[in-house]
Amino acid sequence: MAQVANKVAEAERRERETRQQLDSPAIDRGPYDGDLEDLAEQWVARHAEWRRVADLMDAQGWPVYSPERDVKGSAWARERDTQRAGALARRAAWQRERQGARDELKAQVWLSADVSRRLRAIASRTGLEPEQVLAQLADRVHMDDDGALAVDAFTPR
């Protein structure tokens, strides 16, 4: 019970200090200070949670806090774990997508008017976009032993 009371007091003190920092001029803040508004919100939430735990322990007559008996706190913890797992899964998917994007190449190609007209004509006959024809062409390029690039005859699809 004493530890919970200390946590309530600490959260209250930190909440007050963070609010004072928010009210102080920005010149007093260092370049590496975090987002004070976010920090203030975190301390408000921590203070409220520690007060809830203290009130629960007092109302239930618990000498020691037991998360297993704290139905509301346990539900919130499970919800946070679920949210965290979802966020981690989304982050992992994003990283896999970024890795795939790193392996891809986006190129902007400037072609002469004559080559551009021929490419557009080929694309229109095949029903493809010019970029799709170029992608298929690049997909079939190979390098000879002497370093020359070559493409075997193919029909764009």
Side-chain angles (χ1 to χ4, degrees):
M1 192 69 163
Q3 289 176 331
V4 172
N6 287 339
K7 289 294 188 179
V8 170
E10 177 189 8
E12 183 178 16
R13 180 180 53 80
R14 298 266 183 137
E15 178 184 350
R16 186 177 53 253
E17 289 171 353
T18 308
R19 291 218 179 274
Q20 287 171 348
Q21 286 179 331
L22 272 173
D23 295 337
S24 70
I27 57 173
D28 292 345
R29 298 186 192 140
Y32 301 107
D33 288 348
D35 181 2
L36 287 179
E37 289 180 22
D38 183 49
L39 185 60
E41 289 175 15
Q42 287 180 31
W43 280 113
V44 166
R46 288 179 185 169
H47 185 204
E49 178 61 9
W50 280 116
R51 287 174 81 74
R52 185 194 69 78
V53 169
D55 291 345
L56 177 67
M57 289 177 67
D58 189 42
Q60 298 293 326
W62 297 348
V64 176
Y65 176 73
S66 175
E68 298 82 29
R69 297 190 314 187
D70 183 357
V71 176
K72 186 185 262 185
S74 295
W76 287 347
R78 282 190 301 277
E79 184 179 315
R80 280 191 306 271
D81 289 344
T82 301
Q83 288 176 350
R84 185 178 298 115
L88 290 173
R90 287 188 301 277
R91 172 82 178 168
W94 177 79
Q95 285 178 323
R96 284 191 302 274
E97 183 180 305
R98 295 284 302 148
Q99 180 60 42
R102 272 188 234 134
D103 294 341
E104 295 174 358
L105 172 66
K106 258 187 171 174
Q108 189 171 17
V109 180
W110 295 93
L111 303 171
S112 68
D114 182 47
V115 172
S116 179
R117 277 191 293 276
R118 283 188 284 151
L119 177 60
R120 288 180 195 282
I122 292 167
S124 111
R125 280 188 297 227
T126 60
L128 298 171
E129 293 295 319
E131 295 83 6
Q132 293 171 311
V133 174
L134 287 175
Q136 290 183 21
L137 180 67
D139 195 38
R140 288 167 175 79
V141 167
H142 56 86
M143 188 179 296
D144 291 339
D145 293 336
D146 60 354
L149 299 178
V151 177
D152 295 330
F154 77 99
T155 303
R157 300 186 193 284

